[in-house]
Amino acid sequence: MAFIARRLAFYVVAIWSAVTINFLIPRVMPGNAVESAISRFQNLTPQVVKALEIEFGFHPKGTIFSQYLQYWNNVIHFNLGVSTSQYPTHVSTIIGQTLPWTLTLVGVATVLSFLIGTLLGVFTAWRRGGAFDRALPALMLLQATPYFFLALLLIQAFAVSLTWLPFGQGYSLGLSPGFNWSFISSAITHSILPAVTIIATSVGGWMLQMRNVMLTTISEDYILVAQAKGLSTRRVMFTYGARNAILPNIAGFALSLGFVVAGALVMEIVFSYPGVGFTLYNAVTSNDYPLMQGIFLVISIAVLSASLLADIAYAFADPRARSRSAF
Amino acid sequence: MAALRKLPSDAAPAAAPPRGRLGTVAWMTSLGGVYGRLPLKAKIGLAILGVYILVAIIGPLLAPYSPDATSTQSIPEAPNIHHLFGTSATGGDVLSQILTGTRATVVLGLMTGVIATFLSVLVGTAAGYLGGYADEGLSLISNVFLVLPALPLLVVILGYLPHTGEVPTAIVLSALGWAWGARVIRAQTMSLRNRDFVLAAREVGERPWRIIVFELLPNQIGLIAASFVGTVLYAILTSVALAFIGITNFSDWNYGDILYWADNGSAVQLGAWWWYMFPGMATAVLGMSLVLINFGLDELSNPRLRSSRSLRKLGKRSWRPADPTPVILDYVEGSL
């Protein structure tokens, strides 16, 4: 398990970097975040102004090092400050309300996209020059399309022209979140278009990578031997071919997660989906710096945790990874 | 297909026998040679990109109206003879906005590509060539940059620098976009490091920077090109997304700015498809040209990836170079 230990150490460094970057940004950026927040919101009480100043390192108390320790203390206790745009709500409360929406939507859509893309990649490689292979250029176009543009097209087609699906918000107005069927069904129908957007734009990448590795794998001698033995096509394709070709896709999962999440954030803005992406957008447009930074921190931790899980899955899938040292 | 008759190793500069020191002239010829042997996909991609670069240079002169022009109307006008791509709700000509915005979009992409690729090459070759603690440290840094979610970080940083122009945006994009290239270049440098020609150069007493610039870099020019194209794609898609969110400068009419106004003006709800369709397609086609170029570069270094084009006809059946089932299919067909 030396591999997992090394990966764990790496993610500790990565999380430390994310927190440190977050600490440094307001201190090295030109302009005074507090002043812009104060000028925007006249109704802030002196205590809040003071708290903001301490948080962003203006009129600092103590050395930068003691501020840094204080900052870490706050992060560990999930004390991310007070939102200036939704004053006096705590940033952690806002994130707590929005994060489940994003985690559910992006999580389900990403896993579906990975599974569909990998499976399509296997078939495409097996039937090289077939229908799927010829469709690759179309998928490349999707890959090069901005998420939000595709989202606009889907809204135009399915929500405005055909009026099959609702769009905007996470559930119908007039419903309140709870465990009842009308709310859940409303939430599901509202999430179909966003999920399709994520899947459509990311499935091509998984498919392409799987196809390329699979092409190399199926030209190996042991595949030929397996076929010569008379094993069924399905067995050769999946147990002999895909089983070995999937490793780079799993390894790539950890690295591409950041891109998928980034796209999903922008997609949320188009759909006004009540997740962290839309909240980040609102925070930026209203200069709510504590909220912006809190969201970056939470997204980083979520992405890093998911990457770590993908790495552990990789260690189980590839015996070589467990013995090899890799950073 | 001319490409078919060439041996795989002949078509792949990455796999070609390593050349030693290259002078400027040799560099140029080698680049020219690479273009001549590019697969069709890369040539199409380069042609499309060329059109965009041309528009970036002369587009603002071609624009029939000022992109900032407004009129007293309050509804977007559908495409007509005066406004080929229609207008925005305030009467801005969408075609003029696209022609003007191409410059900002393409320049930002290329600028980020140059800065980030320079960083990738610097970190990648240094880590791969030096090895040891330098490698561990540099790899750690690049891997951290790889896993940190770049877009939220960009949003936070640019949120502190509201409505900045192209140069600061390009610098921030580069600072977060160099890591992938560095990783790939490091791996290639490590595999080249112990080849005979590098060892010979070291034995002769060449300085490390000379070995890196004149021995290692010429042998990974294909990889560096691919990394450059990938970074430009990332920069264009990200900058369009950032402009769409509305945190970069509006006055340069990046494609994302047009889309920002379209989304803000409820173009979708109004059914004003031309308002977002044309800038969106302009982004997608530009992205597509870059993906095509990278596909071509990939196929150049790995001939197995070529799709249906490399089918060979033998008898009535078409054979693929890596066909998984020749024995069985042949047997079944023969017995029928």
Side-chain angles (χ1 to χ4, degrees), chain A residues 56 128 156 216 227 284 327, chain B residues 247 276 304 306 320 324-325:
Chain A
F56 289 96
R128 178 148 72 150
Q156 173 79 57
T216 319
Q227 287 185 316
V284 169
F327 236 114
Chain B
I247 56 173
Y276 60 86
R304 267 188 189 146
R306 286 186 198 147
R320 303 166 180 116
T325 55

Side-chain angles (χ1 to χ4, degrees), chain A residues 246-296:
Chain A
I246 201 171
L247 293 172
N249 243 22
I250 298 180
F253 189 81
L255 293 176
S256 16
L257 208 63
F259 294 100
V260 177
V261 170
L265 294 183
V266 183
M267 177 276 303
E268 279 185 6
I269 297 168
V270 180
F271 285 99
S272 307
Y273 199 77
V276 286
F278 189 52
T279 314
L280 180 64
Y281 169 68
N282 287 335
V284 169
T285 48
S286 55
N287 288 343
D288 189 343
Y289 295 101
L291 188 54
M292 267 159 61
Q293 292 200 276
I295 288 175
F296 166 67

Side-chain angles (χ1 to χ4, degrees), chain B residues 179-262:
Chain B
W180 180 257
R183 200 177 143 107
V184 179
I185 290 168
R186 168 182 170 266
Q188 177 76 359
T189 308
M190 281 171 72
S191 81
L192 287 173
R193 186 176 55 179
N194 293 324
R195 299 269 196 97
D196 287 344
F197 70 100
V198 179
L199 293 179
R202 209 181 303 175
E203 214 55 50
V204 171
E206 297 270 31
R207 293 162 196 279
W209 70 266
R210 254 199 98 81
I211 296 179
I212 288 175
V213 174
F214 291 102
E215 311 288 350
L216 295 178
L217 291 188
N219 284 301
Q220 31 184 313
I221 191 86
L223 207 60
I224 296 172
S227 153
F228 174 77
V229 174
T231 314
V232 173
L233 177 63
Y234 142 85
I236 287 173
L237 289 184
T238 312
S239 72
V240 168
L242 288 170
F244 175 72
I245 297 175
I247 56 173
T248 48
N249 198 351
F250 293 127
S251 61
D252 57 13
W253 290 106
N254 180 302
Y255 295 155
D257 293 321
I258 310 175
L259 290 162
Y260 167 83
W261 292 116

